[in-house]
């Protein structure tokens, strides 16, 4: 008699043990023509409510032809037992990713709820990039140079080509250009704050 293979030992398809199957298993457990392993298996399965189909089939096929019932009548009345698969456990990496996604979703939901209350951040902050810094520096230099030229030629026309007065006019024009650029810079930087204050005041009035 051959021993059960590893495939036969796997549960696989499970069926209910009917009375005819139980009687056959009890009979097979006492059949000396079967191996000891099969006889022990038959005795174990005879007391169970459900049993693997492969194991019952192995016992039936190894039994003598004259001692086993017909295959159709043998399995008649037996039902299949379907078991839900065990849920897969999530890996730690997946759990961490899901946790971060949940936190991100909660943060977005919170920002959506308070977007009418909190002022919006100005993404275009002054000097946020090197391009803005270089552009501002060139603009200041150009404004001061233009102021110097205007002051120089203005004093030259007024004071009859006096080198000292011409230089003094250029310096005054340079200072005026610097003050003008400073004034414009203050206006540009304070504009976002004025907008946020006005939006906050409008929200308070609507409440």
């Amino acid at each position: 008699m051959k021993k059960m293979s590893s495939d036969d030992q796997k549960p696989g398809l499970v069926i209910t043990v009917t009375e005819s199957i139980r009687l056959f298993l009890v009979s097979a457990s006492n059949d000396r023509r079967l191996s000891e392993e099969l006889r022990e298996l038959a005795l174990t399965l005879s007391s169970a409510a459900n049993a693997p189909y492969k194991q019952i089939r192995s016992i039936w096929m190894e039994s003598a032809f004259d001692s086993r019932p017909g295959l159709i009548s043998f399995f008649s009345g037996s039902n299949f037992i379907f078991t839900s698969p065990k849920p897969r456990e999530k890996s730690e990496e997946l759990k961490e990713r899901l946790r971060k996604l949940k936190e991100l979703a909660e943060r977005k939901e919170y920002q959506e709820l308070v977007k009418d209350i909190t002022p919006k951040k100005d993404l275009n902050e002054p000097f946020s990039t090197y391009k803005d810094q270089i552009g501002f520096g060139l603009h200041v230099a150009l404004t001061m140079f233009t102021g110097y030229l205007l002051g120089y030629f203005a004093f030259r026309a007024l004071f009859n080509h006096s080198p000292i007065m011409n230089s003094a006019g250029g310096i005054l024009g340079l200072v005026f250009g610097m003050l003008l650029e400073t004034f414009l810079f203050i206006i540009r930087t304070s504009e976002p704050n004025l907008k946020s204050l006005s939006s906050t005041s409008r929200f308070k009035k609507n409440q």
Side-chain angles (χ1 to χ4, degrees):
M1 298 295 176
K2 68 174 184 179
K3 293 185 178 181
M4 292 181 62
S5 64
S6 58
D7 291 337
D8 291 335
Q9 291 177 353
K10 295 179 181 179
L13 181 63
V14 178
I15 60 174
T16 58
V17 177
T18 61
E19 189 63 25
S20 61
I21 295 177
R22 193 182 312 279
L23 292 175
F24 166 74
L25 292 174
V26 172
S27 175
S29 65
N30 299 317
D31 190 353
R32 296 295 178 179
R33 290 173 292 184
L34 294 177
S35 64
E36 183 179 355
E37 181 184 3
L38 287 177
R39 280 186 278 124
E40 291 178 356
L41 178 61
L43 181 61
T44 302
L45 296 179
S46 65
S47 60
N50 307 314
Y53 165 77
K54 287 184 177 181
Q55 294 180 354
I56 296 177
R57 185 192 62 181
S58 298
I59 299 173
W60 183 87
M61 291 181 66
E62 292 298 321
S63 299
F65 181 79
D66 56 350
S67 64
R68 66 187 184 190
L71 187 62
I72 297 177
S73 60
F74 180 60
F75 288 107
S76 178
S78 182
N79 297 318
F80 298 117
I81 303 298
F82 297 100
T83 56
S84 57
K86 184 180 179 181
R88 292 192 306 173
E89 295 183 359
K90 298 176 182 177
S91 63
E92 293 298 326
E93 182 180 355
L94 180 59
K95 289 180 180 178
E96 182 66 19
R97 188 179 302 175
L98 291 175
R99 186 184 64 80
K100 290 182 179 180
L101 290 175
K102 183 179 179 182
E103 290 179 355
L104 181 62
E106 290 177 351
R107 193 179 300 115
K108 286 184 178 181
E109 184 178 358
Y110 174 76
Q111 291 175 354
E112 187 69 20
L113 290 173
V114 300
K115 67 178 181 179
D116 295 331
I117 303 174
T118 56
K120 294 181 179 179
K121 294 181 180 180
D122 187 14
L123 298 177
N124 298 322
E125 295 181 356
F127 309 132
S128 59
T129 61
Y130 288 110
K131 184 178 180 180
D132 294 339
Q133 296 174 9
I134 295 174
F136 179 77
L138 292 175
H139 191 271
V140 171
L142 180 61
T143 303
M144 293 173 66
F145 180 71
T146 304
Y148 178 85
L149 290 180
L150 291 175
Y152 181 87
F153 286 109
F155 272 56
R156 182 179 180 183
L158 292 174
F159 296 101
N160 198 18
H161 302 284
S162 174
I164 297 177
M165 296 304 294
N166 293 347
S167 299
I171 294 173
L172 286 176
L174 186 146
V175 172
F176 178 76
M178 184 174 61
L179 292 175
L180 177 63
E181 193 62 36
T182 303
F183 178 71
L184 294 175
F185 174 75
I186 293 173
I187 292 176
R188 281 198 299 267
T189 53
S190 60
E191 188 177 21
N193 295 329
L194 293 175
K195 288 182 179 180
S196 63
L197 289 174
S198 62
S199 62
T200 304
S201 61
R202 283 198 304 269
F203 176 75
K204 290 181 179 180
K205 287 180 181 179
N206 293 331
Q207 286 183 330

